[in-house]
Amino acid sequence: MNNKTVIISAFTTLLLSNSAQAAESLVLQPVSDSTLAAPLIKFDDSTHYFVGVTGGSSDISMTAGTVNGNNNTLINHFSSPDAAGFVGADLGFYTAGGAGRIYYSWQKMSAQSDLDGAKAIETDVTLHLLNADYIFRAGKTINPFIGAHLGYMISDTKGEGYGSNSQSGEVLGIQAGVAWRISNHISAEIGLRHTATQGEDVKPWSSNKVASQIKSISTGYVSLNYRF
């Protein structure tokens, strides 16, 4: 009888031990925060060409007014051209690594100047610019950037009773802004650009009734770009 008691006790102890081990294996383990973290977005930053459309507000700095004969002494000054909208397009490429880009910009804008509260002249300006930007935080979603540009300006100014005039020449400038990478192919940006002409003197028109000189052009813009 004692032997049976010992055998039953040993068997019961072994059974309880196995049951305890099985229960331990069923205990849920805590989930670490690393398994719940959302994966970081990884952008393709190899060399890519891109096209973009842009638009915004332009501010043309111009000195203009009526003159008496073939000289540049202004008698009556026209008001500064009013702020007006502009449209444009960009074409270029992002460098490998995404930290830079080089691109051509075309911009078209118009503005009017007043004399004694009435429209006097209207100025149409076209800019052809070659831009180079340095992009901060390459590979991230938000990318501040700074850059410089050079190019060529073509302007035509006319007014009823005043005749017309053309001003063309080289321009230099700077730009800065912030881009938002929506996806690998699409990005949006906002920025400011300041472009200075290289002419300094106010020059008379062929009609000898008006003299003018565009000094600079400032724009605030938004763009939508597509990389391919």
Side-chain angles (χ1 to χ4, degrees):
M1 181 66 67
N2 290 337
N3 291 337
K4 290 183 179 180
T5 302
V6 172
I7 294 172
I8 292 172
S9 299
F11 180 77
T12 302
T13 301
L14 179 62
L15 181 62
L16 292 175
S17 176
N18 290 337
S19 298
Q21 291 178 3
E24 289 178 0
S25 65
L26 292 176
V27 175
L28 297 177
Q29 298 298 320
V31 179
S32 64
D33 292 339
S34 61
T35 61
L36 297 177
L40 296 176
I41 298 176
K42 178 61 178 176
F43 294 109
D44 176 10
D45 280 326
S46 57
T47 301
H48 279 278
Y49 292 97
F50 77 96
V51 294
V53 292
T54 183
S57 178
S58 64
D59 182 15
I60 301 174
S61 175
M62 180 173 71
T63 300
T66 59
V67 295
N68 184 12
N70 187 17
N71 61 68
N72 57 5
T73 301
L74 302 182
I75 300 174
N76 297 303
H77 288 258
F78 298 146
S79 67
S80 298
D82 58 342
F86 81 95
V87 295
D90 300 325
L91 175 63
F93 66 93
Y94 288 87
T95 60
R101 63 177 177 176
I102 299 174
Y103 57 104
Y104 161 79
S105 294
W106 170 86
Q107 298 179 1
K108 179 73 172 179
M109 60 202 70
S110 297
Q112 74 175 42
S113 300
D114 299 337
L115 178 62
D116 297 329
K119 177 181 176 180
I121 59 175
E122 183 173 2
T123 302
D124 296 323
V125 176
T126 302
L127 294 175
H128 300 276
L129 306 175
L130 180 62
N131 308 266
D133 291 340
Y134 179 80
I135 300 172
F136 298 93
R137 303 178 75 248
K140 305 296 184 181
T141 301
I142 303 299
N143 308 129
F145 63 88
I146 58 173
H149 61 268
L150 55 85
Y152 197 79
M153 179 193 74
I154 301 172
S155 71
D156 293 299
T157 307
K158 60 184 179 181
E160 186 174 353
Y162 297 114
S164 62
N165 183 61
S166 296
Q167 179 184 337
S168 302
E170 294 78 13
V171 294
L172 296 171
I174 56 175
Q175 65 268 357
V178 178
W180 172 38
R181 297 192 67 172
I182 302 172
S183 70
N184 266 324
H185 296 290
I186 300 175
S187 62
E189 66 185 67
I190 59 174
L192 299 173
R193 178 179 278 110
H194 181 74
T195 305
T197 65
Q198 302 307 294
E200 298 180 356
D201 299 328
V202 175
K203 297 181 180 180
W205 294 13
S206 58
S207 64
N208 292 330
K209 295 181 179 181
V210 175
S212 67
Q213 179 68 34
I214 295 177
K215 301 295 186 180
S216 65
I217 300 170
S218 298
T219 58
Y221 68 90
V222 294
S223 297
L224 186 64
N225 302 323
Y226 180 81
R227 305 187 193 201
F228 57 94

